[in-house]
Amino acid sequence: MPSKPARAWQRMLSGRRLDLLDPTPVDIEIDDIAHGLAFVARWNGQTRGDFPYSVAEHSLLVEALFARISPGAPAKWRLAALLHDAPEYVIGDMISPVKASVGPGYDELDKRLAAAIHIRFGLPAVIPKTVKARIKRADRISAWMEATQIAGFSEAEADKYFNRPKPELIEGLSITLRPPVDTRTAYTDRHATLLARMG
């Protein structure tokens, strides 16, 4: 008797059924993304504080940093920065050493989900390389801040892995730890603001 195929979809709180192997934009909802990311911990949860540092909180910081790196960037690229880790609402956040061990399968899954998410919110399926490079730069600055402020890295160690950012890029910014429901609201609010600016 043939074995049943493995289930490749997840039921979302919105009621959507998201096929992880063939995601479609119509099954993407911002409330599902915000909720999922607000409950996914960065650094495998190995951070100081009374609340985990979530991917949603990280994404808000990356968008703010991207705006400092590219002050003239249109709202659509700022939205791309906010959504840069959005696929993790269903596939979770793997630290870099684990991603390297898993191999190309994780990356392919991430790319398919990212394309569906981008299309859903009016972005190109694939973000231009120049924009993606600036988002990645903001991501690394965020990682340096997180590493030194809440993840137990010395500044010298963080410099080695993430590169020390220019002081003016991080001035006045700090790592925020708050209840997931607060972060979820902040994420959906920021998404709505950027989407309205695109219109």
Side-chain angles (χ1 to χ4, degrees):
M1 187 174 181
S3 61
K4 285 175 66 176
R7 179 170 64 90
W9 56 268
Q10 180 176 348
R11 176 78 62 190
M12 297 295 158
L13 288 178
S14 64
R16 297 287 188 185
R17 193 168 92 164
L18 183 68
D19 186 330
L20 302 184
L21 300 180
D22 187 23
T24 60
V26 295
D27 290 321
I28 306 292
E29 297 290 346
I30 192 58
D31 289 340
D32 293 333
I33 292 172
H35 183 83
L37 296 184
F39 285 89
V40 174
R42 294 261 298 163
W43 304 93
N44 280 347
Q46 298 301 305
T47 52
R48 300 185 186 103
D50 294 331
F51 298 103
Y53 186 71
S54 72
V55 175
E57 201 72 74
H58 161 78
S59 299
L60 289 162
L61 179 58
V62 168
E63 190 262 325
L65 288 163
F66 175 80
R68 290 185 175 198
I69 292 167
S70 303
K76 67 178 180 179
W77 299 143
R78 292 185 67 165
L79 181 61
L82 182 71
L83 295 169
H84 80 284
D85 278 340
E88 294 178 9
Y89 86 108
V90 283
I91 58 176
D93 178 41
M94 286 191 193
I95 59 172
S96 296
V98 175
K99 286 180 185 175
S101 300
V102 170
Y106 178 92
D107 192 48
E108 287 305 312
L109 190 59
D110 182 90
K111 284 179 181 175
R112 282 196 297 270
L113 282 163
I117 291 164
H118 291 157
I119 292 168
R120 170 67 177 84
F121 299 117
L123 299 171
V126 178
I127 303 301
K129 287 183 179 178
T130 53
V131 175
K132 198 166 183 179
R134 283 179 275 154
I135 293 172
K136 185 64 182 174
R137 183 178 169 205
D139 193 34
R140 289 180 68 83
I141 294 170
S142 177
W144 187 92
M145 292 174 65
E146 295 162 26
T148 56
Q149 292 182 37
I150 58 171
F153 284 58
S154 68
E155 289 196 3
E157 194 175 21
D159 291 350
K160 178 181 175 184
Y161 292 108
F162 309 112
N163 299 325
R164 180 180 290 265
K166 293 179 179 177
E168 62 270 20
L169 290 176
I170 61 173
E171 185 180 357
L173 295 175
S174 61
I175 299 301
T176 303
L177 295 172
R178 51 185 163 174
V181 292
D182 294 347
T183 308
R184 180 181 65 196
T185 299
Y187 189 94
T188 53
D189 287 351
R190 189 65 189 144
H191 177 270
T193 296
L194 292 170
L195 210 57
R197 289 181 187 171
M198 286 171 59

